[in-house]
């Protein structure tokens, strides 16, 4: 795929990933609740529908079920604050959160049980339900101008990562043992139905996760305070994420992570998050090889990436392979943002990355590279599955400040191939670029200044 073919393909991808249609039926969640349970009496909005002691978990369930059974439509969340546990979407249902409405998720892990089929850090298992979850559904959406508030912080969820920066103190439970056990299970081929975590364990759930779904829309909403990854579609097809703003600087708080998906468009979004803004993934290690589903046909356009690690990351989880990624008209930068295009993997993760095209990007400031393609990331060169990385093209980048313009590191026996950077300028670069084990590397009409 050359550049002309690539951008023509990107336009076709944008045109074919369309939002799902919903019948003009409306189901107001307030007509189905609230269900008064053991909610924290200090949580609630006395001026809105959710008063002290009121939870809306059952109301959301009932409204979504009624909408689904009627043939589809919209579940309206009017202004106010709605305290709830897990919300599970059904086919042909749009969860529409109006302006001045907040869905406030409970901080009690029991509200996300029973455990559901999910992925934690790209490995399949059963774990706490993602806060908004769908499995095997079609035509689903989360829309509106309201807020999804995960309630996470140094007091809830974030300490499970096990670092003092996020509230952990000596003697608190954390995820290290569970994470090690899940990786062992995957390496030993333990069936997924036997990899059960959830109650009594400490693997944080994602905020939004459609799994094996088709025709998915997330539009307009604001997302804050997530336990972990914010929007994580897994093995989905036809996914549209547009005009979403995410502000959540917690641990592993990636903004949008399409994993083993096909036909994804991410457009007009703002990312101010605690990890990669967008991270494209395809399973991890032995589990990724077992499933063997790539992530392909991803278009990212007109987005602002402000904080913290990769602006557009491809990896670390590349085992199933990643191809056909297009990025255009984006803005990267801020005093706390590290990388621009960040392709990161190693010979333990394996897989492949091919056909990545970037153009028309404005960079205000990055603390590291504008373009980093590094096969020594993480586990380094300590496996037997060196990933081929090929056909990566970057054009028309305007950068005001970076550590260096690019860092490119392949392996002697598996070099990076067909890497081009052209028509770009990089000002106020602090150190020399790094290029090792790269075949067919081309730099044309590029200026680099100190």
């Amino acid at each position: 795929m050359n550049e002309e073919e690539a951008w023509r393909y990107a336009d076709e991808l944008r045109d074919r990933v369309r939002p799902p249609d919903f019948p003009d039926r409306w189901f107001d969640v307030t007509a189905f609740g609230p269900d008064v349970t053991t909610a924290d009496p200090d949580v609630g909005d006395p001026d809105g529908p959710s008063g002290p002691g009121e939870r809306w978990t059952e109301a959301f369930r009932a409204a979504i079920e009624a909408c689904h059974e009627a043939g589809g439509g919209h579940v309206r969340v009017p202004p106010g604050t709605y305290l709830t546990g897990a919300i599970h979407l059904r086919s042909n249902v749009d969860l529409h959160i109006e302006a001045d409405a907040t869905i406030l998720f409970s901080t009690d892990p029991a509200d996300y049980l029973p455990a559901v089929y999910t992925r934690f850090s790209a490995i399949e298992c059963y774990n706490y339900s993602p806060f908004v979850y769908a499995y095997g559904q079609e035509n689903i959406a989360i829309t509106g101008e309201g807020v999804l508030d995960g309630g996470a912080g140094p007091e809830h969820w974030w300490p499970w990562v096990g670092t003092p920066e996020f509230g952990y103190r000596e003697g608190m439970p954390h995820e290290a043992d569970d994470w090690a056990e899940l990786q062992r299970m995957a390496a030993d081929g333990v069936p997924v139905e036997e990899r059960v975590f959830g109650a009594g364990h400490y693997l944080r759930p994602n905020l939004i996760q459609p799994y094996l779904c088709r025709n998915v829309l997330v539009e307009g909403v604001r997302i804050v305070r997530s336990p972990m990854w914010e929007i994580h579609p897994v093995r989905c097809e036809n996914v549209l994420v547009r005009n979403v703003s995410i502000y959540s600087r917690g641990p592993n708080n990636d903004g949008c992570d399409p994993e083993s998906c096909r036909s994804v468009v991410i457009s007009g979004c703002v990312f101010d998050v605690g990890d990669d803004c967008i991270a494209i993934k395809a399973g991890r290690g032995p589990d990724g090889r077992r499933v063997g589903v790539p992530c392909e046909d991803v278009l990212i356009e007109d987005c602002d990436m402000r904080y913290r690690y990769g602006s557009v990351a491809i990896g670390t989880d590349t085992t199933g392979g990643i191809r056909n990624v297009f990025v255009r008209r984006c803005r990267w930068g801020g005093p706390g943002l590290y990388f621009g295009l960040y392709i990161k993997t190693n010979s333990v993760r394996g897989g492949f990355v091919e056909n990545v095209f970037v153009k028309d990007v404005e960079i205000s400031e990055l603390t590291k590279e504008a373009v980093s393609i590094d096969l020594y990331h993480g586990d380094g060169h300590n496996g037997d599955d060196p990933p081929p990385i090929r056909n990566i093209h970057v054009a028309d980048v305007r950068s005001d400040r970076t550590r260096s313009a690019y860092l490119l590191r392949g392996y002697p026996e598996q070099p990076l191939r067909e890497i081009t950077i052209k028509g770009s300028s990089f000002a106020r670069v602090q150190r020399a670029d790094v290029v090792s084990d790269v075949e067919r590397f081309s730099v044309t009409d590029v200026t680099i200044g100190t």
Side-chain angles (χ1 to χ4, degrees), residues 23-47:
D24 189 21
R25 302 188 188 95
W26 292 84
F27 298 79
D28 198 310
V29 72
T30 60
F32 295 84
D35 44 304
V36 180
T37 61
T38 57
D40 184 341
D42 296 324
V43 175
D45 179 3
D47 299 319

Side-chain angles (χ1 to χ4, degrees), residues 40-59:
D40 184 341
D42 296 324
V43 175
D45 179 3
D47 299 319
S50 185
E54 294 180 348
R55 289 201 187 191
W56 294 80
T57 308
E58 176 58 24

Side-chain angles (χ1 to χ4, degrees), residues 195-262:
R195 307 176 196 172
V196 181
F197 292 84
H201 298 275
Y202 301 96
L203 300 180
R204 290 161 292 146
N206 298 160
L207 200 140
I208 298 172
Q209 186 185 82
Y211 204 118
L212 279 171
C213 294
R214 180 179 173 83
N215 302 336
V216 177
L217 171 67
V218 183
E219 181 176 40
V221 294
R222 179 183 176 96
I223 298 171
V224 300
R225 301 197 301 169
S226 177
M228 197 173 154
W229 299 349
E230 323 283 341
I231 303 174
H232 180 210
V234 181
R235 297 185 63 182
C236 292
E237 185 170 354
N238 294 327
V239 177
L240 178 57
V241 179
R242 66 184 180 189
N243 302 328
V244 172
S245 58
I246 304 177
Y247 300 89
S248 187
R249 293 188 174 186
N252 312 111
N253 269 220
D254 291 4
C256 185
D257 288 11
E259 182 169 2
S260 299
C261 291
R262 183 178 182 186

Side-chain angles (χ1 to χ4, degrees), residues 287-294 320:
D287 210 52
R289 294 181 186 93
R290 176 185 62 83
V291 177
V293 176

Side-chain angles (χ1 to χ4, degrees), residues 382-402:
N382 292 300
D384 56 5
D385 190 10
I389 311 294
R390 55 183 174 255
N391 206 28
I392 315 296
H393 301 272
V394 177
D396 302 319
V397 172
R398 300 291 178 266
S399 173
D400 188 59
R401 182 197 294 269
T402 59

Side-chain angles (χ1 to χ4, degrees), residues 422-441:
K422 70 176 189 179
S424 299
S425 62
F426 302 90
R428 294 195 287 176
V429 172
Q430 299 171 7
R431 73 180 196 186
D433 301 311
V434 175
V435 180
S436 63
D437 296 310
V438 182
E439 289 185 356
R440 297 190 294 281
F441 175 47

